[in-house]
């Protein structure tokens, strides 16, 4: 190990190598604190050439590596094992915006740039990077792409995968694939970039990307609505899409329980409605056109929905500050649940039409499994992705509750599978959920995944224990 560390230091310098346990501890624990690993070193290369040399050295010595961006994974996708044998490779120093082309509407950006910084760079150039997630202040582009992040605007712009035109990737043997092309059409062979997007660092390490941009919206209209049921929320979504689907940028669902947690635990959170409700929707309209009439469209749809009993109350943002305050009620759900106590998270998706059935059936199944459990479904109703989280019963032992996490997840997933859904919508598989892969993606599909993994990483040194189950 001393020889390996000396070799790594020679490549990245003292500033690029952390070995003191006090410095590496934060890199060895996942955001949810479900897994605590150990690592002899955190390597922080400043460019792809240095990373390639690091990978060649580690591959030559048979040392496994764990790629890590902002370490915001919900499924421990970037956490090393507890045996202390795996090297963490952090991309934070690869943090340049290389280019923005306002004619092609593209951004060439390195893996260590945070999503928020990328959004701001695009905005300064008069464009929009439409990807938006709750952890965008710390999540880095490389990790965002490696997990195929979804987020709030998938309804209109698609997942991270849909925004990628080109990639630069360091392979397990240290080769660098430079696929940083900005072409909208390129039909020459296999689409390799999509192999790495969503692979969770098990096939290679993304070091840079060419991303699609969009025209920056000049007008927004945002409302928080109280609705009587999940069915009413789906009805409201349909009304907005029927009115003008091109205007709808986001449509989010929140349960009354989840909103109560936010109001209880998040300082400054204020409900802009006359009374609390059992269910809420956040709708955002956006347009790059000036005087697009979004406020009028919002009022027209909401007025009809109020008359029909689909909406019980609504608050429309009158300023950018009010828009941000409404969005904060949605974005702070995960943090509020963390402060409330132990929670088991389920990032699931079903066809949009079946979201209300998912919420009702999964809630009933979990309440039957654990009396007093508090269901906290919320998320992206517009694309069928609901974070169906379960909070421990009041006064219960948190550790004991978390000890039943697989039982709880399996209970939710039984409903999801019956509805034709997926156990992972946008968070990935990571270290938490590979055991589900054989049942959900077995047969030819999982066999193909294993063949791809063996072809690119025959010694299994890239992010071991993530995504692909043993076998």
């Amino acid at each position: 190990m001393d020889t390996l560390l000396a070799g790594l230091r020679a490549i990245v310098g003292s500033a690029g190598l952390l070995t003191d346990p006090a410095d590496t501890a934060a890199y060895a624990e996942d955001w949810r604190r479900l897994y605590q690993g150990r690592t002899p070193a955190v390597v922080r290369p400043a460019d792809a050439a240095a990373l390639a040399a690091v990978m060649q050295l580690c591959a030559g010595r048979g040392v496994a590596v764990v790629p890590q961006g902002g370490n915001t994974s919900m499924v421990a996708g970037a956490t090393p094992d507890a045996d202390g044998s795996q090297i963490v490779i952090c991309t934070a120093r690869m943090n340049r915006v290389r280019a923005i082309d306002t004619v092609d509407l593209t951004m060439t950006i390195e893996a260590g740039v945070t999503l928020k910084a990328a959004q701001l760079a695009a905005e300064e150039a008069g464009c929009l990077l439409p990807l938006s997630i709750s952890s965008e202040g710390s999540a880095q582009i490389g990790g965002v792409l490696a997990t195929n992040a979804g987020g709030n605007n998938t309804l209109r712009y698609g997942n991270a995968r849909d925004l990628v035109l080109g990639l630069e990737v360091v392979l397990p043997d240290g080769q660098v694939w430079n696929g940083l092309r900005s072409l909208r059409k390129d039909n020459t062979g296999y689409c390799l970039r999509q192999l790495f997007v969503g692979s969770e660092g098990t096939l290679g390490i993304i070091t840079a990307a060419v991303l699609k941009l969009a025209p920056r919206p000049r007008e927004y209209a945002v409302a928080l609505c109280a609705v009587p049921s999940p069915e009413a929320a789906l009805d409201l979504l349909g009304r907005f899409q029927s009115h003008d689907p091109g205007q709808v940028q986001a449509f989010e669902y929140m349960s009354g329980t989840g909103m109560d947690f936010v109001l209880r635990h998040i300082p400054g959170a204020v409900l802009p409605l006359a009374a609390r409700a059992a269910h809420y929707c956040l709708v955002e309209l956006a347009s790059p056109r000036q005087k697009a009439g979004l406020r009028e469209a919002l009022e027209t749809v909401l007025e009809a929905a109020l008359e029909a009993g689909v909406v019980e109350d609504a608050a429309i943002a009158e300023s950018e500050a009010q828009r941000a305050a409404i969005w904060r009620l949605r974005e702070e759900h995960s943090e509020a649940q963390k402060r409330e106590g132990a929670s088991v998270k389920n990032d699931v998706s079903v066809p949009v039409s079946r979201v209300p059935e998912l919420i009702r059936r999964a809630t009933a199944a979990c309440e039957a499994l654990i009396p007093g459990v508090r269901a906290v479904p919320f998320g992206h109703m517009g694309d069928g992705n609901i974070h169906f989280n379960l909070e421990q019963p009041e006064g219960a032992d948190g550790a004991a509750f978390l000890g039943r996490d697989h039982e709880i997840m399996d209970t939710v997933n039984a409903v999801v599978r019956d509805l034709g859904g997926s156990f992972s919508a946008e968070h990935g598989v990571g270290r938490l959920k590979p055991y589900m892969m054989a049942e959900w993606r077995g047969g030819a599909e999982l066999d193909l995944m294993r063949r791809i993994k063996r072809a690119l990483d025959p010694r299994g040194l890239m992010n071991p224990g993530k995504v692909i189950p043993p076998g």
Side-chain angles (χ1 to χ4, degrees), residues 104-107 128-130 161-165 183-184 193 210-214:
D104 282 339
L105 284 177
T106 61
M107 164 186 281
L128 172 71
L129 178 59
R161 181 183 303 284
D162 301 298
L163 301 176
V164 178
L165 292 173
L183 301 173
R184 303 287 172 145
R193 69 180 185 274
V210 180
L211 303 179
K212 297 178 189 177
L213 302 178

Side-chain angles (χ1 to χ4, degrees), residues 29-389:
E29 182 178 59
D30 71 301
W31 183 84
R32 294 174 61 191
R33 297 181 178 174
L34 297 179
Y35 296 88
Q36 291 77 39
R38 290 191 302 116
T39 180
V42 176
V43 185
R44 304 170 69 243
D47 54 40
L51 176 56
V54 167
M55 293 299 293
Q56 288 173 356
L57 179 61
C58 289
R61 293 177 176 270
V63 175
V65 301
V66 178
Q68 189 176 107
N71 200 19
T72 61
S73 175
M74 291 285 192
V75 291
T79 307
D81 281 348
D83 65 8
S85 66
Q86 300 171 354
I87 300 293
V88 172
I89 295 181
C90 174
T91 59
R93 295 177 70 203
M94 303 181 199
N95 56 12
R96 292 184 301 139
V97 177
R98 296 185 186 176
I100 295 178
D101 190 317
T102 57
V103 177
D104 282 339
L105 284 177
T106 61
M107 164 186 281
T108 304
I109 190 167
E110 294 182 347
V113 179
T114 65
L115 178 53
K116 186 63 176 180
Q119 292 169 346
L120 292 174
E123 185 177 345
E124 289 174 3
C127 302
L128 172 71
L129 178 59
L131 193 63
S132 177
I133 58 178
S134 297
S135 60
E136 60 197 28
S138 51
Q140 296 171 12
I141 292 296
V144 166
L145 300 183
T147 56
N148 186 31
N152 304 325
N153 297 337
T154 298
L155 169 64
R156 184 161 175 177
Y157 297 102
N159 293 323
R161 181 183 303 284
D162 301 298
L163 301 176
V164 178
L165 292 173
L167 289 181
E168 176 185 79
V169 180
V170 176
L171 302 176
D173 60 2
Q175 289 191 80
V176 180
W177 172 53
N178 186 348
L180 289 175
R181 307 180 186 100
S182 58
L183 301 173
R184 303 287 172 145
K185 287 187 175 181
D186 182 6
N187 206 14
T188 49
Y190 304 134
C191 188
L192 295 180
R193 69 180 185 274
Q194 296 296 0
L195 193 62
F196 297 99
V197 177
S199 68
E200 300 187 46
T202 61
L203 302 178
I205 301 178
I206 296 170
T207 54
V210 180
L211 303 179
K212 297 178 189 177
L213 302 178
R216 186 176 65 186
R218 290 186 172 91
E219 184 178 337
Y220 290 96
V222 177
L224 180 69
C225 308
V227 295
S229 66
E231 288 79 7
L234 184 63
D235 186 315
L236 184 61
L237 171 63
R239 289 170 181 264
F240 276 107
Q241 290 181 317
S242 295
H243 185 82
D244 188 342
Q247 293 179 339
V248 184
Q249 179 155 289
F251 193 94
E252 299 289 297
Y253 166 83
M254 294 157 282
S255 71
T257 301
M259 185 67 80
D260 287 347
F261 290 167
V262 172
L263 298 173
R264 181 182 307 161
H265 295 293
I266 304 302
V270 177
L271 184 68
L273 300 172
R276 297 192 181 188
H279 308 273
Y280 301 88
C281 293
L282 187 160
V283 59
E284 178 168 272
L285 310 183
S287 174
R289 294 188 295 115
Q290 292 179 332
K291 299 181 180 179
L294 299 185
R295 174 62 180 256
E296 293 81 357
L298 194 63
E299 291 178 344
T300 297
V301 174
L302 289 179
E303 182 178 356
L306 282 162
E307 290 178 357
V310 171
V311 171
E312 297 172 327
D313 193 9
I316 298 175
E318 302 290 349
S319 65
E320 181 58 32
Q322 290 184 9
R323 172 179 174 244
I326 287 176
W327 266 110
R328 188 171 181 234
L329 295 173
R330 160 62 183 86
E331 299 292 2
E332 294 285 6
H333 263 59
S334 293
E335 181 62 28
Q337 290 170 45
K338 192 175 183 180
R339 297 181 186 185
E340 176 70 16
S343 65
V344 173
K345 300 183 183 300
N346 295 276
D347 167 49
V348 300
S349 61
V350 296
V352 174
S353 62
R354 311 203 75 173
V355 168
E357 188 177 356
L358 164 69
I359 293 172
R360 293 197 181 281
R361 287 178 57 184
T363 296
C366 290
E367 289 175 346
L369 177 69
I370 302 177
V373 73
R374 293 170 289 174
V376 196
F378 71 100
H380 319 299
M381 176 171 269
D383 58 51
N385 173 200
I386 295 296
H387 303 297
F388 199 92
N389 297 351

